[in-house]
């Protein structure tokens, strides 16, 4: 069964090793903390973009409330992953908590797209192993990157741009999946407004508040126009 | 707060926030999966948040006092978009943009001004 799981997760291995290494290199070259804190974050936090954002929050010695809000909002998309797996995980028993903990973007896409047999318990066991294999790849990447960043002397000035590049890539992927540029413009405009009217420490939270408000207004407007959606009152 | 205490607290808070986003649907949302507001936010919020983060961090990585203000980050950012639309390989796009930005920053290409 493990060789089946390995084959299923091979593409994730090729994604997680280099991305985990990028995080590890960033962590040890940008910050003065012990190298093993990088893989420790891979074990207890386990979030790609989240951990890379965490490096810049650590570098800025961000307040813990800001850390919580920034990490929560960055990972808020996971709220909606869980919604589609409520049924699938219902009978998972002791495995359920770890399945939920390990629900990264990549694991989610694998668990929801692979073919499943009628044997629910066997399939849940495979889900569990997939989740564990993926996290192992991620932590190995974090270790390799942290050791590389600590031991290989090179000028790492500018390597923090990896975070910006990652967010640009994720924006394009979201845009392609959605086929609607409206939320992308709202996000960019909200960031612009927040950067003009707020000091740097409050810009992220401010922009997130603006985005949420605009999406709620858009929702209300869509509801108010029954013509657009047929009979929409629930 | 000492460095170790801060790092420990930071990791605990970051882990709690991340885990919260993954477990909340299983704790509270079971009744609301079909609610149209939940569906609406689920559709649009992720794209808006990503665009917001890209914009804020792009602006922060740019040098606005250079001869060509902001060009270091804007050039690298545009390259990420082009490479990603061309090959659609996330790691390739990230590596290309980051390497370009590092070269610009380390060589001082746009600061000292070939032009100015």
């Amino acid at each position: 069964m493990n060789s089946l799981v390995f084959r299923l997760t091979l593409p994730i291995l090729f994604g997680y090793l280099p991305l985990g290494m990028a995080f590890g290199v960033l962590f040890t070259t940008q910050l003065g903390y012990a190298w093993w804190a990088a893989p420790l974050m891979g074990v207890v936090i386990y979030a790609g973009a989240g951990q890379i954002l965490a490096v810049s929050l650590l570098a800025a010695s961000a307040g813990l409330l800001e850390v919580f809000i920034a990490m929560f909002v960055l990972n808020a998309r996971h709220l909606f992953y869980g919604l589609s797996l409520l049924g699938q995980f219902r009978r998972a028993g002791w495995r359920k908590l770890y399945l939920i903990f390990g629900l990264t973007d990549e694991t989610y896409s694998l668990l929801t797209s692979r073919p499943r047999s009628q044997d629910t318990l066997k399939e849940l066991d495979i889900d569990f192993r997939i989740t564990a294999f993926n996290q192992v790849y991620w932590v190995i990447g974090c270790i390799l990157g942290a050791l590389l960043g600590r031991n290989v002397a090179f000028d790492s000035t500018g390597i923090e741009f990896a975070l910006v590049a990652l967010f640009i890539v994720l924006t394009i992927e979201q845009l392609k999946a959605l086929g609607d540029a409206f939320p992308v413009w709202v996000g960019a405009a909200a960031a612009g407004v927040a950067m003009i009217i707020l000091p740097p420490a409050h810009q992220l939270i401010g922009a997130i508040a603006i985005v949420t408000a605009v999406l709620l207004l858009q929702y209300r407007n869509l509801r108010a126009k029954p013509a657009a959606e047929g009979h929409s009152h629930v | 707060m000492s460095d170790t205490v801060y790092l420990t607290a930071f990791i605990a808070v970051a882990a709690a926030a991340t885990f919260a986003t993954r477990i909340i649907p299983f704790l509270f949302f079971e009744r609301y999966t079909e609610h149209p507001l939940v569906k609406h936010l689920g559709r649009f919020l992720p794209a808006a948040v990503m665009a917001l983060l890209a914009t804020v961090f792009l602006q922060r990585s740019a040098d606005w006092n250079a001869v060509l203000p902001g060009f270091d980050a804007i050039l690298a950012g545009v390259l990420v978009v082009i490479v990603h639309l061309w090959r659609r390989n996330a790691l390739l796009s990230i590596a290309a943009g980051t390497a370009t930005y590092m070269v610009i920053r380390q060589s001082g290409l746009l600061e000292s001004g070939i032009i100015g």
Side-chain angles (χ1 to χ4, degrees):
Chain A
M1 186 187 279
N2 282 336
S3 71
L4 165 80
V5 172
F6 183 69
R7 253 181 295 130
L8 279 170
T9 55
L10 202 56
I12 315 274
L13 171 71
F14 291 128
Y16 272 11
L17 273 188
L19 194 62
M21 286 177 70
F23 161 73
V25 169
L26 266 177
F27 186 90
T28 45
T29 55
Q30 305 279 304
L31 307 168
Y33 296 109
W35 71 271
W36 48 261
L40 178 67
M41 288 170 78
V43 172
V44 301
I45 303 175
Y46 187 32
Q51 283 176 232
I52 292 174
L53 175 68
V55 173
S56 63
L57 293 172
L58 276 170
S61 300
L64 293 178
L65 180 64
E66 196 197 346
V67 172
F68 187 91
I69 294 174
M71 296 292 284
F72 187 89
V73 171
L74 174 63
N75 290 317
R77 64 192 184 284
H78 294 148
L79 289 169
F80 304 100
Y81 294 168
L83 291 178
S84 63
L85 287 169
L86 288 171
Q88 185 172 322
F89 286 177
R90 199 162 276 149
R91 294 180 55 202
W94 59 270
R95 297 186 181 89
K96 189 169 176 179
L97 212 57
Y98 181 70
L99 282 167
I100 294 171
F101 166 81
L103 206 52
T104 59
D105 303 74
E106 290 75 10
T107 303
Y108 172 79
S109 66
L110 213 54
L111 295 192
T112 50
S113 63
R114 72 183 187 86
R116 311 179 73 84
S117 71
Q118 294 296 314
D119 188 345
T120 317
L121 284 180
K122 182 176 151 243
E123 294 303 329
L124 282 168
D125 189 43
I126 296 176
D127 286 348
F128 181 81
R129 284 164 200 255
I130 288 175
T131 309
F133 272 53
N134 287 347
Q135 190 175 12
V136 168
Y137 305 151
W138 175 251
V139 173
I140 291 173
C142 294
I143 293 173
L144 293 177
L147 292 175
L148 189 72
R150 196 179 66 139
N151 294 319
V152 181
F154 69 98
D155 186 352
S156 64
T157 309
I159 197 171
E160 70 279 3
F161 193 80
L163 178 68
V164 182
L166 174 67
F167 289 144
I168 294 174
V169 164
L170 290 174
T171 304
I172 296 173
E173 288 301 321
Q174 290 285 349
L175 185 59
K176 292 213 171 203
L178 199 58
D180 181 351
F182 175 73
V184 171
W185 294 123
V186 172
V193 171
M195 289 187 297
I196 292 167
I197 64 174
L198 294 171
H202 302 304
Q203 287 169 357
L204 272 185
I205 297 169
I208 287 156
I210 297 171
V211 157
T212 311
V214 172
L215 290 182
L216 290 176
L217 274 177
Q218 184 204 18
Y219 173 76
R220 209 190 61 176
N221 286 344
L222 285 176
R223 299 264 95 189
K225 269 186 259 161
E229 283 186 90
H231 33 273
S232 66
H233 281 284
V234 182
Chain B
M1 215 188 312
S2 85
D3 270 7
T4 316
V5 174
Y6 176 68
L7 181 65
T8 310
F10 182 101
I11 293 177
V13 166
T18 305
F19 187 56
T21 61
R22 291 175 187 163
I23 199 163
I24 281 173
F26 294 90
L27 294 181
F28 306 113
F29 275 65
E30 203 128 3
R31 271 170 297 165
Y32 303 113
T33 42
E34 294 304 311
H35 193 284
L37 178 59
V38 172
K39 286 187 159 177
H40 180 78
L41 290 177
R43 251 189 92 193
F44 292 113
L45 193 65
V49 167
M50 288 308 147
L52 173 170
L53 290 167
T55 310
V56 168
F57 283 94
L58 187 76
Q59 182 268 334
R60 287 187 187 174
S61 58
D63 178 3
W64 297 103
N65 296 315
V67 181
L68 297 169
F71 261 59
D72 49 355
I74 292 169
L75 274 181
V78 168
L79 187 73
V80 174
V81 174
I82 292 172
V83 172
H84 199 68
L85 291 177
W86 175 43
R87 302 302 297 263
R88 212 168 170 189
N89 177 331
L91 286 166
L92 181 71
S93 320
I94 293 168
T98 307
T100 305
Y101 181 81
M102 288 174 77
V103 168
I104 294 174
R105 265 294 156 97
Q106 292 180 16
S107 64
L109 212 60
L110 295 174
E111 296 165 34
S112 52
I114 320 161
I115 306 158

